[in-house]
Amino acid sequence: MRILFTPTGHRQFFEAIAYIYKDNPAAASDFLWLQRNYPQDSGADDAMFSAALLYYAEARHEEVVAVCEELLGRYPASRLSSAAHFWAAKALLQSRR
């Protein structure tokens, strides 16, 4: 399942995240495991981004920032770069509240 940020899709996004998390509370760790074991795979950046979104849904803002920064460092040309910047910034703002 690929979940991307869309400006008007926040409700659908969080519903999807809640569904994934309900079925598998360790989903974020599983996504990171996939990326770490298959870093050259074309979906590795998707796996990291999915983990970041799951962490955001759990209000684990420090982990969101760390994963997004790692994604940007490992995959600077990823199509998810802009979205990673967005979610990292959003997590930083939330963590300061």
Side-chain angles (χ1 to χ4, degrees):
M1 169 183 258
R2 290 185 182 206
I3 302 170
L4 297 177
F5 167 75
T6 58
T8 59
H10 284 202
R11 180 183 171 122
Q12 293 86 356
F13 156 73
F14 283 110
E15 287 174 359
I17 292 296
Y19 179 79
I20 292 168
Y21 186 71
K22 178 186 75 169
D23 287 346
N24 183 6
S29 297
D30 292 345
F31 280 123
L32 291 176
W33 181 90
L34 286 170
Q35 183 278 324
R36 290 193 175 103
N37 286 280
Y38 302 98
Q40 302 304 321
D41 188 84
S42 63
D45 58 340
D46 280 305
M48 290 187 82
F49 187 68
S50 295
L53 295 180
L54 285 166
Y55 285 144
Y56 187 85
E58 297 172 15
R60 294 171 61 182
H61 300 115
E62 292 168 6
E63 287 93 336
V64 174
V65 173
V67 171
C68 286
E69 287 177 349
E70 185 178 349
L71 186 156
L72 293 165
R74 290 180 183 265
Y75 309 102
S78 171
R79 64 182 173 68
L80 298 169
S81 293
S82 296
H85 281 289
F86 173 85
W87 286 102
K90 189 168 176 129
L92 278 171
L93 288 172
Q94 290 294 321
S95 68
R96 294 193 173 141
R97 290 186 178 175

